[in-house]
Amino acid sequence: MDSLALWLALILAAGLGPLKPRPSAAPGSQGTAPVTGPFTAGELKAFAALEPIDTHTHAFVSDPAFLALLHRLHMHILDICVIDDHSPFERSLEPQLDEALAVVHASQGHAALCTTFDPYRFQEPGFAEAAIRQINRDFENGAVAVKVWKNVGMELKNTKGAYVMPDDPLFQPIYRDIAAHHKTLIAHVADPDTIWQPPDPRAPDYSYYMEHPEWYMFRNPHPPSKQAILKARDHLLEMNPDLRVVGAHLGSMEADFSAIARHLDRYPNFCVDLAARMPYVIRQPRAELVAFMTKYQDRLLYATDLGFHPGEDASRVIKEWETTYARDWRFFATSDLLDYEGRRVQGIHLPPSILRKLYHQNALRSIPGILPATPAP
Ligand SMILES: [Zn+2]
């Protein structure tokens, strides 16, 4: 963390220390009341001017009001498919691929597709060849990235009862194919540390593992070790230096930003998204977080993990998406006092040049094709 400490010192010297809340932040709010709710007109203008990109979403309903929200916010999303045998909708690639493609086509340039492959078939003869055929077909249909998910590492076991890891040679031809097509691998491997720990209602992920006991490794009698999964991920990075890899959810190193820093230093083909890990981001000491985001300003991707699944109420979903975008933007772009899931935090007021990288430029470089060649209307 030595170089990070140096950055911290430089930033403090540059006068980016603790900032006072902007007085006119929330019309009608009294004094230090936190700013909440959707964008004000002025905020929306600043946000939309970034042409923001959310590199981690799961949208499978092409609802006109939802698409209108993307247009109004100038928001561009990466729409990610995963195959999850615990979820009726996600048990197979179809129908979610069809629904995601419908969103992409109806979005007029505001959504791009991230496909996946079915890892549950890993023991079938010709597994990799079939996966590559399907992925290449999806590339032809506009997919710009491929997701590998946490079922690799935490669920699939081979005939000897060992967990199948993301660096298993079985997957190597698939990774090579993605690199050969100049596409990007979105790697959600492992999960937060708390999944391996006794239940703690104060942990940011507590409700997730209560709702998804199948992923709660603490209750798994023979869990894989998180360290082993991340080691396999690192091996994947080493074996595929030409493959761009986005480590979803802070690369599952959410509790140790110095580990994220070491990985970004070590693997030039690696960057991380912030999806669903804002509760960890806001818990960092403010000046240290500013130093981290300044030093790694070229390697961090804004992302949420927001979803829109068939059967969900469109107006509730639209409200959730907009308030999430507004809250996150206020945290990064302003020095407002915010209420973040019951915590009072102050925005870190990043300079416009870093915001533009976080919200736009880094995504263009890490996931080429995420925006259409001609600007969206
Ligand atoms: Zn996700």
Side-chain angles (χ1 to χ4, degrees):
M1 285 291 279
D2 279 350
S3 55
L4 205 50
L6 178 64
W7 274 92
L8 176 56
L10 286 171
I11 279 155
L12 288 171
L16 270 178
L19 294 158
K20 296 211 166 57
R22 58 182 168 147
S24 60
S29 74
Q30 296 289 317
T32 55
V35 185
T36 55
F39 289 106
T40 63
E43 289 174 334
L44 180 58
K45 202 169 163 221
F47 180 72
L50 292 167
E51 289 295 328
I53 300 172
D54 179 347
T55 64
H56 193 137
T57 71
H58 305 281
F60 303 111
V61 185
S62 37
D63 175 273
F66 169 71
L67 297 168
L69 172 77
L70 299 183
H71 281 259
R72 188 162 63 81
L73 304 185
H74 288 222
M75 174 53 72
H76 307 267
I77 60 171
L78 184 66
D79 199 357
I80 301 178
C81 298
V82 290
I83 297 179
D84 174 3
D85 64 354
H86 307 282
S87 151
F89 178 65
E90 290 161 329
R91 195 164 288 151
S92 64
L93 189 55
E94 281 81 18
Q96 55 173 315
L97 184 65
D98 295 340
E99 300 296 346
L101 276 170
V103 170
V104 169
H105 291 142
S107 77
Q108 296 183 284
H110 283 269
L113 177 69
C114 173
T115 187
T116 190
F117 57 90
D118 188 344
Y120 295 102
R121 298 188 164 178
F122 76 99
Q123 284 166 316
E124 294 179 10
F127 158 73
E129 290 75 12
I132 287 169
R133 265 197 308 278
Q134 170 243 306
I135 287 168
N136 290 352
R137 180 202 68 194
D138 296 340
F139 288 155
E140 278 168 30
N141 287 327
V144 297
V146 179
K147 172 106 164 202
V148 61
W149 199 50
K150 64 184 178 184
N151 43 18
V152 177
M154 288 169 65
E155 182 184 10
L156 300 177
K157 289 181 181 174
N158 64 24
T159 46
K160 292 178 194 143
Y163 285 96
V164 177
M165 289 289 149
D167 65 338
D168 195 294
L170 272 168
F171 303 120
Q172 192 56 19
I174 299 173
Y175 301 146
R176 273 199 222 105
D177 179 74
I178 299 168
H181 285 81
H182 307 291
K183 307 295 183 188
T184 302
L185 180 70
I186 311 289
H188 173 177
V189 295
D191 250 345
D193 289 359
T194 50
I195 300 291
W196 278 267
Q197 295 163 357
D200 175 4
R202 290 164 307 170
D205 318 290
Y206 178 73
S207 62
Y208 178 81
Y209 54 69
M210 290 298 113
E211 284 163 27
H212 297 276
E214 70 274 19
W215 296 114
Y216 189 25
M217 293 295 122
F218 178 75
R219 294 260 158 80
N220 179 332
H222 304 288
S225 90
K226 180 166 177 177
Q227 212 189 357
I229 304 170
L230 292 189
K231 212 173 144 199
R233 188 272 315 276
D234 294 349
H235 188 217
L236 184 170
L237 289 168
E238 270 156 36
M239 286 195 302
N240 297 278
D242 298 330
L243 176 64
R244 282 183 307 270
V245 180
V246 174
H249 312 299
L250 294 172
S252 291
M253 298 173 286
E254 71 291 329
D256 183 359
F257 277 49
S258 65
I260 304 172
R262 280 197 306 278
H263 280 75
L264 295 175
D265 289 341
R266 182 158 179 192
Y267 303 108
N269 55 332
F270 188 55
C271 61
V272 296
D273 82 28
L274 307 184
R277 296 298 175 267
M278 282 299 286
Y280 290 91
V281 171
I282 61 146
R283 278 167 164 79
Q284 300 304 306
R286 191 166 180 272
E288 283 176 32
L289 177 63
V290 171
F292 175 84
M293 296 197 70
T294 304
K295 182 168 183 194
Y296 295 102
Q297 59 184 273
D298 296 313
R299 312 290 293 281
L300 307 171
L301 302 176
Y302 177 72
T304 58
D305 212 10
L306 285 165
F308 189 5
H309 294 85
E312 289 181 332
D313 177 60
S315 58
R316 186 197 60 76
V317 167
I318 289 165
K319 193 173 167 215
E320 185 194 4
W321 283 56
E322 179 169 3
T323 50
T324 300
Y325 287 140
R327 184 182 56 182
D328 292 351
W329 178 82
R330 287 178 188 127
F331 179 75
F332 290 121
T334 78
S335 45
D336 291 347
L337 282 178
L338 309 170
D339 177 58
Y340 212 109
E341 291 171 6
R343 275 180 177 250
R344 190 64 64 89
V345 294
Q346 188 183 6
I348 61 172
H349 199 222
L350 293 171
S353 59
I354 297 183
L355 289 173
R356 182 118 182 110
K357 289 179 177 180
L358 175 69
Y359 273 100
H360 185 84
Q361 289 165 329
N362 295 348
L364 297 188
R365 202 176 48 247
S366 298
I367 312 168
I370 192 164
L371 291 196
T374 48

